Amino acid sequence: MSNIRLKSKNKQSGKIVYNTGIVQNIVALAVAEVEGVIPTQGKKDGVSLYLEKDGVYVDISVVVKYGYNVPDLAYRIQQTVKQSVENMTHFKVAEVDVHIEDVVFCE
């Protein structure tokens, strides 16, 4: 498990270190907030993070419930993840890619 370092922008000494698992959990919780989406089960709950100089790149795999507008859900996932990660960690989110794995009928 790697760590992500964030240097303070103000003149305080010290730094904040985030474990990548924490950022992945923030992403997973943000995805769970979107109605009509089921996160894929398995390793890392369908979330992959890539850290580059220009920001965090996120890949998310989800299952969509039947009857929901797929492009609208993908957009809402992108916005929710971007907002959650940037508000909770102060990292810039460069890109959020949403992969729709399946559409399922749920009662």
Side-chain angles (χ1 to χ4, degrees):
M1 197 61 63
S2 62
N3 294 323
I4 305 167
R5 296 183 187 273
L6 179 66
K7 292 184 181 180
S8 180
K9 291 182 180 180
N10 53 21
K11 296 182 185 208
Q12 296 176 349
S13 61
K15 52 189 141 182
I16 300 170
V17 179
Y18 293 96
N19 184 306
T20 54
I22 292 171
V23 180
Q24 286 177 326
N25 287 341
I26 292 169
V27 171
L29 289 170
V31 171
E33 289 179 10
V34 179
E35 185 180 344
V37 174
I38 303 169
T40 57
Q41 299 300 316
K43 200 172 192 178
K44 301 179 188 175
D45 295 325
V47 176
S48 297
L49 296 175
Y50 305 98
L51 304 166
E52 300 292 333
K53 290 181 181 179
D54 59 336
V56 179
Y57 290 79
V58 183
D59 280 332
I60 304 167
S61 297
V62 296
V63 174
V64 174
K65 294 180 183 178
Y66 178 80
Y68 286 88
N69 183 312
V70 175
D72 182 50
L73 282 180
Y75 179 76
R76 286 194 286 156
I77 291 168
Q78 290 172 325
Q79 294 304 310
T80 303
V81 167
K82 179 176 172 43
Q83 184 178 31
S84 294
V85 171
E86 288 181 351
N87 287 341
M88 295 179 79
T89 65
H90 299 292
F91 286 124
K92 181 182 180 297
V93 176
E95 190 173 290
V96 178
D97 292 329
V98 179
H99 306 276
I100 308 299
E101 297 291 324
D102 200 1
V103 177
V104 296
F105 180 78
C106 295
E107 294 182 15

